[in-house]
Amino acid sequence: MFKFNFEVEEDASEDPQSVKSPIFEKDAEEADSEKTKDIDWYQAVKVQPTDNLISILDFYELNAKEIEVGKTTIRHLVAGFLLDDIKAQSDLQDLDIRKSEENHSDLIAGVYEGGAKIWECTDDLLQYLSEKHEDSFWKDKRVLDLGCGSGLLGIYAIKQGARVDFQDYNKDVLEYITYPNILLNVEETLTDDEKLKFLDTNTNLYAGDWSHFAELTKDLEKYDLILTSETIYNTENQGKLLETFAGRLKSDGVVLVAAKSHYFGVGGGLEQFSGKIKQGNVFRSESVWQADENLKRGILQLNFK
């Protein structure tokens, strides 16, 4: 049984050139945490498909699940199957995904950030997108699926006609989950070479810490839309998240954040995050969707002021 291990800390050794003159100042609690624990956050890198991606795709096809989002069908790997497959391969001992499984935790500070699991707020945001936007909305859009994990948000955007980049903390997640999921959703009639060309033409995948990702891509075209789900649970990383929004969003762009109203044990949640946004005085935010269930969830929309 996986569980959250909410002991992720802000990076005390952050390269000062990564985020210059922070817009979103750290509060006293965040500053104190930086002094008490030094986490070596992964540097950002662009991730390429593994050499055997195409050859194992037929095997993945047999173990994929379908979900319906409005009029769109999305296929994706089942996490349980994937984890069993990884554990069965002796040459994959060092994968961060495997370490999380062996530690029975979805979060290992500085090592793994829960990318193998599809969190419920992702479903909320998928449904919201399907109901809110017509097909024409996506034409010529540049979209970022930030903290993508399985990549379902970005895959939905691709299938509507957008060009999408994917970012996740873990390279392993992108190689063994996100890339296969993207290819499970391309036209089946494409040849192997055409599938690889599709990836090269329509997507970029990046691993690593948010602030390092923002620095790595600072000279590239910015995004019309940034989609992110279940990424605000750790208050100590929210400053980096907001800095990434500010650095990678077009001036007239939109950010959609799907999250729970409260994450027990760490104090993060939509209300707290809204206060952080207001404190930064960079974005205006509004609640555009809410679920009134036992564990309340919602979606925030952010725009530059």
Side-chain angles (χ1 to χ4, degrees):
M1 179 89 178
F2 275 3
K3 65 180 183 301
F4 272 120
N5 173 18
F6 289 114
E7 294 184 357
V8 186
E9 304 289 342
E10 183 73 18
D11 183 7
S13 59
E14 187 73 77
D15 178 357
Q17 296 303 312
S18 295
V19 183
K20 301 175 183 178
S21 301
I23 300 168
F24 301 90
E25 298 294 341
K26 301 178 179 66
D27 58 27
E29 183 177 348
E30 289 182 72
D32 287 344
S33 72
E34 286 188 341
K35 297 174 184 177
T36 58
K37 191 165 184 179
D38 182 8
I39 293 178
D40 186 17
W41 296 99
Y42 290 161
Q43 295 290 319
V45 294
K46 187 174 180 180
V47 178
Q48 301 296 336
T50 58
D51 293 337
N52 67 338
L53 176 59
I54 295 295
S55 64
I56 63 176
L57 198 59
D58 287 343
F59 178 53
Y60 285 164
E61 290 269 3
L62 298 174
N63 293 277
K65 178 181 179 180
E66 289 188 355
I67 61 171
E68 300 296 327
V69 182
K71 298 179 291 184
T72 300
T73 301
I74 297 177
R75 306 182 69 206
H76 67 87
L77 294 174
V78 177
F81 151 75
L82 180 72
L83 292 170
D84 287 343
D85 183 51
I86 287 173
K87 286 189 291 184
Q89 299 186 55
S90 59
D91 59 330
L92 301 181
Q93 294 279 351
D94 295 330
L95 291 190
D96 292 332
I97 300 173
R98 185 165 183 154
K99 295 174 186 175
S100 77
E101 174 74 358
E102 291 170 350
N103 283 273
H104 305 290
S105 177
D106 282 323
L107 293 177
I108 304 176
V111 176
Y112 181 72
E113 290 288 334
K117 184 173 180 178
I118 299 173
W119 302 97
E120 60 189 326
C121 291
T122 297
D123 294 331
D124 296 336
L125 187 46
L126 284 170
Q127 191 63 35
Y128 175 80
L129 292 172
S130 71
E131 295 174 357
K132 176 71 174 178
H133 297 300
E134 300 291 336
D135 293 349
S136 59
F137 167 83
W138 300 96
K139 181 177 173 57
D140 299 324
K141 286 289 191 299
R142 287 267 296 154
V143 177
L144 173 64
D145 186 347
L146 189 67
C148 65
S150 294
L152 302 192
L153 297 172
I155 289 168
Y156 177 82
I158 285 178
K159 298 195 79 166
Q160 309 314 308
R163 189 184 187 286
V164 181
D165 290 347
F166 297 80
Q167 183 278 336
D168 194 86
Y169 183 68
N170 292 100
K171 181 182 178 184
D172 299 348
V173 168
L174 296 171
E175 290 178 331
Y176 292 94
I177 302 177
T178 318
Y179 262 126
N181 281 346
I182 296 170
L183 284 189
L184 286 172
N185 288 277
V186 303
E187 292 291 337
E188 296 181 6
T189 56
L190 296 181
T191 66
D192 290 349
D193 287 342
E194 287 171 337
K195 289 176 181 176
L196 291 175
K197 184 177 180 181
F198 176 90
L199 291 177
D200 185 57
T201 303
N202 293 280
T203 68
N204 293 296
L205 277 70
Y206 299 95
D209 182 66
W210 285 323
S211 57
H212 297 311
F213 161 73
E215 177 68 13
L216 177 68
T217 60
K218 65 180 181 180
D219 296 326
L220 302 180
E221 183 182 357
K222 295 185 178 182
Y223 299 100
D224 300 285
L225 178 64
I226 297 177
L227 304 171
T228 190
S229 174
E230 307 268 20
T231 52
I232 67 169
Y233 51 85
N234 182 11
T235 59
E236 294 162 10
N237 284 333
Q238 289 178 0
K240 289 193 289 186
L241 180 62
L242 287 165
E243 289 284 350
T244 302
F245 294 163
R248 299 303 302 132
L249 187 68
K250 291 181 178 178
S251 60
D252 60 348
V254 173
V255 180
L256 291 173
V257 179
K260 296 180 176 67
S261 297
H262 184 71
Y263 290 91
F264 297 97
V266 289
L270 286 171
E271 184 175 349
Q272 174 273 327
F273 187 59
S274 296
K276 182 81 171 181
I277 295 168
K278 185 176 181 180
Q279 175 188 353
N281 200 33
V282 173
F283 296 105
R284 59 178 179 269
S285 67
E286 63 173 316
S287 174
V288 295
W289 182 88
Q290 295 180 66
D292 291 320
E293 300 175 3
N294 291 335
L295 184 58
K296 293 184 178 180
R297 309 184 307 277
I299 298 172
L300 287 180
Q301 177 174 305
L302 281 65
N303 304 83
F304 281 116
K305 286 189 171 182

